[in-house]
Amino acid sequence: MTQYRRYQDVAQALRGVIREEGFAVGDRLPPERQLSERLSVSRSLVREALIMLEIDGLVEVRKGSGIYLATPSATKAPPERDDIGPFELLQARQLLESSIAAFAAEMVTKNDITRMREALEMERADIEAGSTDHSGDELFHRLIAEATQNSVLVDMVDELWRKRDQSPMWAKLHDRIFDAGYRQNWLDDHQQILTALRTKDRDGARAAMWQHLAHVRETLMELSDVDDPAFDGYLFQSISAPT
């Protein structure tokens, strides 16, 4: 069954803005900041909605310039889809995987730590080689789930990564990103998580994973921004870490 997503409501509202304002093909749409204020939603939701409209061919993204109307079909009904917004997905991962990391800190074994170190070495080698392979990254997160010794939690993490890997919206988001320097920062985050797990620091592992996925979300918001090259993080709605 196809599930209706919040970003689809925002995409439909953006179609209404295009229609009401009388935008013509080739016209530049208002910046995301203005659209989020006008629709009273977060900038991340506007970003997801615009990615959906880009996939539908209604808008065209021009890096460093903005988003332009590509076709006059603003009133066309959106096709049925069951994709997940990338920032919605990251928020779910942040909530789930931070708790998993905390539990893993209690259950982790020496063999788990050894395998996690190998995953980080794989990730480091890919970064140094300029590879676009993220297998080491994914493996590291899965190994943390495995360290809980709870197969249900492993399945939940696998499902979140499966949704990411099969998501056209996630792929389109990454099409906007040309600087891979952020990967070293994420590797540093992973090292902090591993340190907390190695010392069986439950609270430290939770906080390190929470902060890592916050960094991922913030970085993707910044690097995929096409409206304002001097992006200042305005209206990026994140949630506070659980206490």
Side-chain angles (χ1 to χ4, degrees), residues 47-66:
R47 179 75 53 85
E48 289 173 338
L50 287 169
I51 290 173
M52 173 184 164
L53 296 182
E54 184 182 4
I55 291 172
D56 291 347
L58 177 61
V59 300
E60 174 190 1
V61 170
R62 301 177 190 173
K63 184 68 176 177
S65 177

Side-chain angles (χ1 to χ4, degrees), residues 11-47:
Q12 193 66 4
L14 289 175
R15 290 173 182 271
V17 170
I18 292 170
R19 184 171 57 252
E20 292 164 10
E21 297 294 332
F23 287 103
V25 173
D27 286 349
R28 185 180 187 275
L29 300 187
E32 287 178 1
R33 181 180 307 180
Q34 292 182 20
L35 292 172
S36 65
E37 291 174 342
R38 175 167 177 168
L39 301 177
S40 298
V41 298
S42 69
R43 188 165 178 173
S44 59
L45 261 177
V46 170
R47 179 75 53 85

Side-chain angles (χ1 to χ4, degrees), residues 85-150:
F87 299 105
E88 180 184 19
L89 180 60
L90 280 169
Q91 189 175 69
R93 287 187 58 199
Q94 189 178 37
L95 287 164
L96 177 64
E97 292 191 51
S98 60
S99 295
I100 287 175
F103 185 38
E106 296 182 0
M107 307 296 292
V108 71
T109 67
K110 288 184 178 180
N111 184 56
D112 292 327
I113 295 297
T114 297
R115 295 173 67 201
M116 289 178 201
R117 283 175 173 159
E118 292 171 351
L120 293 193
E121 285 307 312
M122 182 191 306
E123 186 177 0
R124 181 176 288 105
D126 286 338
I127 293 172
E128 291 175 353
S131 170
T132 58
D133 189 354
H134 289 256
S135 298
D137 181 1
E138 182 173 351
L139 177 60
F140 178 71
H141 284 268
R142 190 181 199 279
L143 289 173
I144 294 173
E146 289 183 6
T148 66
Q149 302 178 39
N150 185 309

